[in-house]
Amino acid sequence: MSGITKKIADTLKDFRRPGYYEKFDYRWGMVIDLDKCNGCGACVAACYAENNIPSVGKEECGKARAMNWIRIERYIEGQYPDVKVKFIPIMCQHCSKAPCELGCPVYATYHNQEGLNVQVYNRCVGTFTCATYCPYDVRRFNWFSYKWDKPLDEQLNPDVSVREMGIMEKCSFCIQRIRAAKDKAKDQGRGVADGEVTPACAQSCPTGALTFGDLNDPESRVSRLAKDPRRFRLLEELNTEPAIIYLKKVSDNGTEGHGE
Amino acid sequence: MDRRDFLKILGVGGAGVGAGIIFGQATKSPGAKLIPYLIPPEDLIPGIGTWYAGVCRECPAGCGTLVKVMEGRAKKIEGNPKHPVNKGRLCAIGQAGLQTLYNPDRIKGPLKRSGERGSGQYTEITWEEALGAISKNLVELGDTKDGQGAYLLTQPLRGSLKGLVTGFMAAYGSSNIVEYSLYDNKALANANRESMGVDAIPYHDIANTNYLLSFGADFSTTWLSPVNLSMGYGEMRQGEGRNARGRLVQVEPRLSATGMSADEWVPAAPGTEGILALSMAYAVIEKGLAKGNDSSAWRSLLSKYRPEAVASVTDVSAEKIYRLAVEFAGNRPSMAIAGDTMASYSGGGACLAAVNVLNHVAGNLGISGGVLANPETAVNGTRPGRLGSLASLIEDASKSKVKALIVYNSNPVFTTPKSIKAKEALGNIPFIASFSSFMDETAVMADIILPSHTAIEDWGDDFPEPGPGIQAAAISQPAVSPVFNTKGVGDIFLAIAKKTGGKTAEKFAWDWYGDYLRDAWKGIYSANKDVAAGSLTFDDFWVKLLANGGWWEAVKDGKKTALSVNLKAAEKLLQNEPCPFDGDPKDFPLYLVLHPHTRLRDGSTANNPWLQEVPDPVTSVVWGSWVEINPATAGRLGIRQGDMAAIESPSGKITLPVYLYEGIRPDTVGIPVGQGHSALGRYAKDRDSNPIDILPAKNDGSTGLSALNSTRVRVSPAGVAGRLAKFEAVGKELGRNIVKTMTPEEFRKTGREAI
């Protein structure tokens, strides 16, 4: 490999090295307990409110163009009367080895130092590459510039940009809340405490299925829960190394062998 | 307000509190509007949110909220972490309260009817004219000594507003107050009164239970207090303080959102769940697992419900009934709960009472992890029951006994069967005034509309029902100034009292509802001074209230009421036959089971774009209604997914798109209530059909509420293609094992127990 190519390859290698995030203060992650989740959808509504997600209406929803950043996937198995249902909330998995980041020609999506998969709206030119690379189907494309009927626009959160036609968007782990918490902690000369920052979805969850926090802090709640023997990661075989750890639902007809 | 007053007020409270008072004052003094940006209010720092405590009013659960306000606009609603009902959590419907506040289809100012009644043609008038019109009507009615001709139809009320409204009507000289909403706790409270002598909803301690047996209670989304009960559910499953994972068994003809999370589904025949509960109670005694010393008396009473005898009626085998009974009683603390599906049967009260009997026999009443009584007296006195009945209002109206009607947030035209003729009855009333914030099907019948504030703009207090097991009183303050030219409902009543004159004016001399509320709370302060306020003066106590969002206190041990089912009372209540369904099974082979829409409940939140777009957990359908049919039944009828189907009952016919669902009995079809509005606003209007339209004029027998599950139907292809917008594509894993699970045996190997 010559000069510039080698340099890029080295940088990428460094970027991929295990333990990279330990050099930094935080490694944001989430644990989702599927045994607690009852599929109520409070997280979905909370995300709409926090992140200025437009409602697109029946026609667009019917074309699979709803803009929701988090969804409750639901699988119904079996036939009457032996029916088993599984709920799973799915949002951007903030993969350490994110396929979407490799594809973007304009570096609109990249990995930040705290483990977040970040989308820079100003860079995005709407090639749709990231959405086709993402195995989790969590990226949402603005097919139009959506309007809020007045005065619904009064509710728009000033901490989050309103996106326009041609832009790809997705879950940001409520980066505006992380920024605010870090700023506050910095002003007070300390680190962000466990539980100080919570994305809108985890904040609202009635059953407490969603826990957010710093995976670098071994004492944090999320780190403790991440060691649960029920842990698994979504489509783990793809080696995307998601920052979201799911805890298995306990079910009479469990479909899996022992934990990992 | 001058600058000196302004600073004085700020001096009283902290950041949030001061501003709450300012917003209240701002509605009075026009001068205040000029001040804010010259001398910015303390809470208005651009880019920094201020949080105001309040109470969610999107459903009757009464969760505590914090509203984030930036630059005078509400941005986000979150749960109040201090409030004992929801401890910081909030459901989808509560979150969407913002779109109730900023809804483009809110009534923007007082209106007077200019076209035909029901045509929706109105002209704008001033508040002075509107208040004048309604008080003139009331005064004239009073002059003719016909004060009893004035009726009030309202959503069920609580707290100081109920005191104001009942006091107002009493002072005016009318005793005709009707509290009505479609999914009301009243049925459950009635059943509890008749079987246990407690006219209230107890606290269901799901968090500490080992075995939860739910008879049609969809507590994840709509039943009683969804956030509170869901918090308990999370604890029951994987609470960090627990060793054993609790088990959930759901008994219902159609698997609800909650049922989808259950470990076992028992699809008993519709209308027989009460019999099943009694049969299980018998099985508990038979297997020697009953608690208490009255089990031999119960045994003889329940002997006709022997599992072997009821197996064919309930469509649940005797072995299964015995097994469930042994699991239920052998894993105490366990708990059986009865939800809306049961309450909606004709004679549903008996089903609810039957579940109380099961709890009694298994010894689950009054224990931790079972059914616990809420403190008998809320902070403001005894828990009031519901007033009046809609059926008698409609009867009086059709006999022209109703001379004037005031309607507040109650929509019987949408939520009663056409056969009851609520709309025609309203048409008979010479004068109707509505205080609704939205132009719903009932408001559109009004002659004059005085639009009220939404919760975020108004003062209020609340005593949650069902309570969270402790005494709780919450207070709600305006977080933003009014978006439109509306008034608080309390203020409307006070203004009418003033204009009506006489006794009402004397009794209600307050200028605005905020003062009335504060004075009402002086009573709560003095009655509970020791526990609530300690050494605080009332002013300090008030400031603390506004900052915390209310006051709550665990009752000292010993004050808790013991619960037990009275054998003599139960004897009269218990059902012998399955709940009746209209229609000949030969002509109408399928049971129709309605359920509240998980987002729109009784349809009152249907004009909320977020709630229309957040998918239903069961079907993932958005922006419309559907009918759930078992694929086997649909195949026989030649109906495919998404087709339009005609659903015909002896009382009417509607068409809806079909959703094929394995989670429903083959002899049953399910439809959500909530869509099919002909009014209410652009997001709600003309979305499919309202299934209530085809119900017979039957009630549940004890409360006078419409029995929603009371008819059989026949289903046929409507011959047109439907458009069903849903999120689900396949809905099956197809062997991909995406969502991994663990068997209870594997779970036990991790060092914890699974029931």
Side-chain angles (χ1 to χ4, degrees), chain B residues 529-707:
Chain B
K529 197 162 179 301
D530 300 343
V531 274
S535 60
L536 293 179
T537 63
F538 178 72
D539 286 341
D540 292 342
F541 176 63
W542 182 248
V543 168
K544 195 175 143 194
L545 273 177
L546 293 181
N548 287 340
W551 169 76
W552 20 84
E553 194 69 50
V555 192
K556 286 182 191 74
D557 288 341
K559 263 174 96 179
K560 271 189 184 142
T561 328
L563 291 176
S564 73
V565 178
N566 185 315
L567 189 108
K568 285 256 151 48
E571 206 170 348
K572 278 180 243 141
L573 283 174
L574 301 184
Q575 66 181 132
N576 294 317
E577 295 289 318
C579 299
F581 280 77
D582 239 31
D584 186 338
K586 269 187 236 123
D587 288 342
F588 301 96
L590 301 167
Y591 294 102
L592 174 64
V593 172
L594 303 189
H595 50 91
H597 191 292
T598 51
R599 310 289 173 222
L600 316 177
R601 299 186 61 254
D602 56 355
S604 54
T605 55
N607 201 41
N608 193 307
W610 285 343
L611 294 180
Q612 288 278 7
E613 190 144 327
V614 174
D616 173 67
V618 176
T619 59
S620 81
V621 173
V622 293
W623 292 99
S625 190
W626 64 89
V627 53
E628 289 159 10
I629 304 180
N630 189 292
T633 311
R636 223 177 48 234
L637 296 167
I639 297 173
R640 289 164 310 166
Q641 179 89 291
D643 282 356
M644 290 300 271
I647 300 115
E648 199 175 345
S649 81
S651 315
K653 182 178 171 183
I654 52 171
T655 51
L656 284 172
V658 170
Y659 180 83
L660 298 184
Y661 184 33
E662 291 285 0
I664 189 161
R665 286 174 60 90
D667 63 357
T668 306
V669 294
I671 304 177
V673 168
Q675 300 278 24
H677 280 278
S678 61
L680 197 63
R682 70 192 76 173
Y683 308 113
K685 208 168 166 238
D686 301 331
R687 296 206 174 275
D688 299 314
S689 312
N690 182 3
I692 298 176
D693 285 351
I694 62 166
L695 295 181
K698 271 195 198 169
N699 63 42
D700 71 345
S702 68
T703 59
L705 293 168
S706 298

Side-chain angles (χ1 to χ4, degrees), chain B residues 86-346:
Chain B
N86 58 326
K87 293 182 182 150
R89 314 296 187 175
L90 201 62
C91 74
I93 303 174
Q95 305 265 351
L98 289 169
Q99 294 204 326
T100 304
L101 171 70
Y102 289 125
N103 200 292
D105 296 322
R106 273 182 65 185
I107 300 169
K108 299 182 173 66
L111 298 173
K112 187 175 194 288
R113 182 163 63 86
S114 58
E116 280 285 292
R117 199 172 245 188
S119 67
Q121 286 169 356
Y122 286 89
T123 46
E124 287 176 27
I125 51 171
T126 63
W127 272 103
E128 197 57 32
E129 286 165 340
L131 291 167
I134 183 169
S135 47
K136 179 166 164 277
N137 208 284
L138 290 177
V139 170
E140 278 171 7
L141 205 54
D143 287 346
T144 57
K145 304 273 179 265
D146 206 6
Q148 285 289 3
Y151 283 64
L152 174 73
L153 172 63
T154 166
Q155 66 179 16
L157 298 175
R158 293 198 290 246
S160 300
L161 185 62
K162 183 156 187 165
L164 172 66
V165 168
T166 49
F168 171 87
M169 290 300 279
Y172 173 72
S174 169
S175 55
N176 299 314
I177 305 176
V178 177
E179 289 180 290
Y180 169 74
S181 76
L182 183 63
Y183 288 106
D184 195 355
N185 307 340
K186 185 171 154 183
L188 188 52
N190 263 18
N192 290 344
R193 187 189 63 231
E194 285 171 10
S195 58
M196 304 195 288
V198 181
D199 190 7
I201 313 294
Y203 175 63
H204 299 98
D205 188 12
I206 295 182
N208 294 310
T209 201
N210 279 332
Y211 195 93
L212 181 60
L213 182 61
S214 160
F215 290 85
D218 188 3
F219 62 81
S220 319
T221 54
T222 47
W223 186 61
L224 290 188
S225 193
V227 178
N228 186 278
L229 298 171
S230 292
M231 278 162 43
Y233 173 80
E235 278 300 300
M236 176 187 97
R237 290 301 205 186
Q238 296 290 343
E240 282 177 55
R242 286 177 66 111
N243 183 44
R245 172 191 188 267
R247 191 172 173 85
L248 170 64
V249 175
Q250 192 88 5
V251 183
E252 55 193 6
R254 171 250 176 203
L255 201 57
S256 64
T258 304
M260 286 185 137
S261 294
D263 298 284
E264 184 176 352
W265 174 36
V266 183
T272 66
E273 293 94 328
I275 293 172
L276 179 65
L278 295 172
S279 182
M280 287 176 64
Y282 175 82
V284 168
I285 301 170
E286 182 72 26
K287 295 282 174 187
L289 293 165
K291 295 277 162 187
N293 45 20
D294 55 354
S295 52
S296 59
W298 280 107
R299 192 196 153 103
S300 56
L301 178 64
L302 297 172
S303 56
K304 61 184 165 191
Y305 302 104
R306 277 186 16 262
E308 293 80 5
V310 303
S312 63
V313 172
T314 58
D315 200 12
V316 182
S317 70
E319 301 84 74
K320 200 167 183 177
I321 298 175
Y322 278 116
R323 173 174 63 78
L324 289 170
V326 169
E327 283 176 12
F328 180 70
N331 286 302
R332 288 176 75 240
S334 52
M335 178 172 25
I337 54 177
D340 290 324
T341 310
M342 305 270 280
S344 300
Y345 291 125
S346 175

Side-chain angles (χ1 to χ4, degrees), chain A residues 108-162:
Chain A
T109 183
Y110 75 104
H111 222 70
N112 86 357
Q113 298 171 337
E114 294 169 7
L116 300 182
N117 176 273
V118 187
Q119 179 77 12
V120 185
Y121 303 131
N122 288 343
R123 287 184 194 161
C124 180
V125 293
T127 65
F128 220 97
T129 316
C130 53
T132 51
Y133 283 17
C134 174
Y136 303 105
D137 186 22
V138 294
R139 291 182 159 265
R140 295 289 176 267
F141 188 69
N142 285 272
W143 294 94
F144 303 98
S145 288
Y146 298 100
K147 293 274 175 285
W148 279 258
D149 292 329
K150 284 190 181 306
L152 284 174
D153 55 346
E154 304 255 310
Q155 178 273 329
L156 292 175
N157 185 355
D159 293 338
V160 177
S161 341
V162 174

Side-chain angles (χ1 to χ4, degrees), chain B residues 465-476:
Chain B
E465 171 85 20
I470 61 173
Q471 291 208 33
I475 205 139
S476 186

Side-chain angles (χ1 to χ4, degrees), chain B residues 270-452:
Chain B
T272 66
E273 293 94 328
I275 293 172
L276 179 65
L278 295 172
S279 182
M280 287 176 64
Y282 175 82
V284 168
I285 301 170
E286 182 72 26
K287 295 282 174 187
L289 293 165
K291 295 277 162 187
N293 45 20
D294 55 354
S295 52
S296 59
W298 280 107
R299 192 196 153 103
S300 56
L301 178 64
L302 297 172
S303 56
K304 61 184 165 191
Y305 302 104
R306 277 186 16 262
E308 293 80 5
V310 303
S312 63
V313 172
T314 58
D315 200 12
V316 182
S317 70
E319 301 84 74
K320 200 167 183 177
I321 298 175
Y322 278 116
R323 173 174 63 78
L324 289 170
V326 169
E327 283 176 12
F328 180 70
N331 286 302
R332 288 176 75 240
S334 52
M335 178 172 25
I337 54 177
D340 290 324
T341 310
M342 305 270 280
S344 300
Y345 291 125
S346 175
C351 303
L352 303 177
V355 171
N356 285 341
V357 170
L358 177 57
N359 274 327
H360 175 89
V361 167
N364 293 321
L365 295 178
I367 60 165
S368 165
V371 182
L372 294 166
N374 266 305
E376 206 165 59
T377 53
V379 200
N380 66 336
T382 50
R383 290 176 184 276
R386 298 279 182 274
L387 300 166
S389 96
L390 184 71
S392 59
L393 170 68
I394 290 173
E395 198 188 321
D396 290 355
S398 27
K399 287 183 192 154
S400 298
K401 275 206 227 153
V402 184
K403 302 285 189 275
L405 176 70
I406 297 173
V407 189
Y408 170 57
N409 277 3
S410 190
N411 190 2
V413 175
F414 180 75
T415 56
T416 54
K418 280 207 168 124
S419 43
I420 283 182
K421 298 196 189 312
K423 193 171 175 182
E424 289 78 357
L426 288 182
N428 242 352
I429 300 172
F431 178 80
I432 302 177
S434 173
F435 298 168
S436 177
S437 309
F438 287 90
M439 194 61 88
D440 60 31
E441 286 81 356
T442 304
V444 87
M445 299 293 290
D447 301 294
I448 193 154
I449 295 175
L450 296 82
S452 57

Side-chain angles (χ1 to χ4, degrees), chain A residues 4-252:
Chain A
I4 183 89
T5 333
K6 188 175 183 317
K7 205 171 168 189
I8 292 171
D10 284 349
T11 316
L12 283 176
K13 217 159 91 190
D14 186 42
F15 188 71
R16 298 280 165 223
R17 201 170 60 216
Y20 172 80
Y21 292 111
E22 284 163 24
K23 287 191 291 190
F24 300 92
D25 290 331
Y26 311 105
R27 166 76 168 99
W28 303 113
M30 188 181 273
V31 171
I32 300 179
D33 191 336
L34 299 181
D35 209 18
K36 282 186 173 181
C37 176
N38 61 6
C40 74
C43 49
V44 184
C47 185
Y48 268 80
E50 175 74 15
N51 291 305
N52 299 340
I53 298 174
S55 315
V56 298
K58 184 171 183 172
E59 281 300 306
E60 292 296 300
C61 280
K63 294 175 188 161
R65 288 177 182 174
M67 299 300 290
N68 57 332
W69 288 3
I70 178 170
R71 66 179 186 273
I72 311 272
E73 200 105 320
R74 187 270 284 114
Y75 296 106
I76 303 179
E77 304 289 345
Q79 282 188 324
Y80 174 87
D82 191 17
V83 179
K84 285 280 175 202
V85 186
K86 296 187 276 191
F87 288 115
I88 178 169
I90 299 180
M91 69 283 249
C92 174
Q93 303 286 307
H94 294 273
C95 314
S96 293
K97 294 180 181 169
C100 58
E101 291 165 10
L102 298 178
C104 183
V106 293
Y107 302 101
T109 183
Y110 75 104
H111 222 70
N112 86 357
Q113 298 171 337
E114 294 169 7
L116 300 182
N117 176 273
V118 187
Q119 179 77 12
V120 185
Y121 303 131
N122 288 343
R123 287 184 194 161
C124 180
V125 293
T127 65
F128 220 97
T129 316
C130 53
T132 51
Y133 283 17
C134 174
Y136 303 105
D137 186 22
V138 294
R139 291 182 159 265
R140 295 289 176 267
F141 188 69
N142 285 272
W143 294 94
F144 303 98
S145 288
Y146 298 100
K147 293 274 175 285
W148 279 258
D149 292 329
K150 284 190 181 306
L152 284 174
D153 55 346
E154 304 255 310
Q155 178 273 329
L156 292 175
N157 185 355
D159 293 338
V160 177
S161 341
V162 174
R163 286 78 58 183
E164 289 198 328
M165 180 168 69
I167 304 291
M168 190 63 75
E169 61 182 68
K170 56 151 203 90
C171 162
S172 67
F173 263 169
C174 284
I175 192 168
Q176 66 281 5
R177 293 188 175 207
I178 297 174
R179 288 268 158 81
K182 275 167 64 187
D183 282 355
K184 194 175 159 202
K186 189 169 123 261
D187 289 349
Q188 296 172 1
R190 61 179 173 88
V192 175
D194 189 32
E196 197 177 343
V197 47
T198 323
C201 53
Q203 196 285 327
S204 69
C205 180
T207 61
L210 278 60
T211 309
F212 179 82
D214 179 13
L215 288 168
N216 272 355
D217 172 7
E219 301 299 312
S220 71
R221 204 158 162 256
V222 71
S223 295
R224 270 191 292 120
L225 289 172
K227 295 189 193 96
D228 194 294
R230 291 184 290 131
R231 78 192 298 274
F232 76 99
R233 290 194 286 189
L234 199 56
L235 306 181
E236 188 137 33
E237 61 276 19
L238 299 178
N239 283 321
T240 52
E241 295 194 4
I244 294 182
I245 292 148
Y246 290 95
L247 305 183
K248 289 174 191 170
K249 182 176 172 65
V250 178
S251 173
D252 283 359

